[in-house]
Each structure stands twice: as C-alpha cells, then as structure tokens.
Amino acid sequence: MALREVRELGDPILSKPCREVTEVTDRLKVLITDMIETMNAHEGVGLAAPQVGVLRRIVVIDVGDGPIVMINPRILEKSGEQTGPEGCLSVPGKYGTVTRPNYVKASYFDENMDEYEIEGEELLARAICHELDHLDGHMYTELAEGPLYTPEELQEMEEAKKDSTSEA
C-alpha cells in the first residue's frame, strides 16, 4: 500500500464536512490500509479521511491495542471531563490544551459494514472525539484553551506540574 500526504492546517479540505459511506469498495479498503500505515508512520494515535484528502466518514484510531477502523461513527453518550494536551498530525509540532469528555460511547461500522459500539475513557475518549470532529470539518485548534505550544514547551509544562505536585 502507500503512505498518504497528511493535509495541514489551512488546507480548505480540513474545514469541510464528510459524506457518509454507503458501501465499502476496494478503493475504500485501500484507503483504510493507507490511513493505518500513514498514522503509524507519523506515530499518530488517530487519522481521519479528510486529513489525507478524502471527504468520507472514516477514521482509524490506535491507542496501543491495535487499529480500530470506524466508518460512519456517531457519539451516543459522553460524560465527565478531562483537560490536557492534544496534538494532531495536521498541525505538526504543536500542541494545545483541550477539554474533552472523559468517557465516550460511540457506534460505527467496520470494513464489512457490520455495526459495533465502543466505549472509551481518557485517551481513547479523547481520540474518538478528536477524530470525529475532523469528519465535521473541525480541528482541535478551535477548542484550544490558550496558545499552541511546541513539544519542548509541553515537556517543560509537564515537568513543572510534576514538581508542583511533589511539593504539595
């Protein structure tokens, strides 16, 4: 298969809503495989089809347990709250502080158009929300609380947080 070019912030395709998938064609199967390879090559946690230039409701997510392919995903429930750093392959080298639900339940179809539900907390909940936002033409930068920061600034912030909790 092939690595795909990841579209970056400012590309107009990233602000457009995606179309539903009605059937999984051979072309879409190739797209899904390419998306997983592209996500892995960039060491990402998730990737949505518009990030590789395709306006279809498909995301892939891998928080360490193997890839999850979600076609036409919908959030059914969400609860709790988590605030933390969030990055995106379409905004390379930058992070922002974003508040997301701590728990999410979503429905989706797999590559065989079999319907499933998934429940996720913490990182998985954040990844589901983040990737589904892409399908509606939204990016985490719209939700960021304050300025974006570099990986070095993120590391400094995390070290300062550790220092303040060890002093308490």
Side-chain angles (χ1 to χ4, degrees):
M1 298 300 134
L3 295 183
R4 302 244 179 159
E5 176 189 352
V6 176
R7 305 295 181 93
E8 294 187 6
L9 184 64
D11 189 315
I13 201 163
L14 295 173
S15 62
K16 295 181 180 178
C18 295
R19 296 185 327 268
E20 294 274 325
V21 174
T22 55
E23 71 174 309
V24 178
T25 62
D26 288 341
R27 276 182 74 180
L28 287 183
K29 288 179 183 177
V30 170
L31 169 67
I32 291 166
T33 301
D34 290 353
M35 287 174 61
I36 293 168
E37 289 183 13
T38 301
M39 174 184 65
N40 290 337
H42 290 277
E43 298 179 4
V45 170
L47 187 68
Q51 290 180 274
V52 293
V54 179
L55 289 173
R56 299 307 291 269
R57 296 190 72 81
I58 302 171
V59 304
V60 296
I61 295 173
D62 189 345
V63 295
D65 301 323
I68 302 165
V69 175
M70 301 175 78
I71 299 171
N72 300 334
R74 293 182 303 119
I75 292 178
L76 304 173
E77 294 176 32
K78 51 187 170 181
S79 65
E81 193 173 89
Q82 60 172 309
T83 300
E86 195 164 310
C88 180
L89 297 180
S90 292
V91 189
K94 294 289 184 178
Y95 295 88
T97 301
V98 177
T99 299
R100 299 268 190 194
N102 196 53
Y103 165 84
V104 170
K105 180 177 182 180
S107 67
Y108 66 96
F109 295 91
D110 69 2
E111 303 94 321
N112 300 313
M113 293 305 281
D114 293 325
E115 190 169 12
Y116 290 91
E117 287 185 357
I118 187 169
E119 295 180 88
E121 293 181 324
E122 298 173 357
L123 180 59
L124 182 55
R126 178 178 294 279
I128 290 170
C129 291
H130 177 111
E131 298 309 330
L132 270 61
D133 277 355
H134 278 297
L135 301 181
D136 294 322
H138 299 289
M139 295 186 60
Y140 87 94
T141 53
E142 298 169 37
L143 303 173
E145 302 162 13
L148 301 184
Y149 40 87
T150 65
E152 295 79 22
E153 291 167 327
L154 174 62
Q155 185 174 357
E156 288 173 17
M157 290 167 53
E158 289 178 352
E159 287 172 5
K161 186 188 273 186
K162 286 179 190 172
D163 290 343
S164 68
T165 54
S166 65
E167 292 172 3

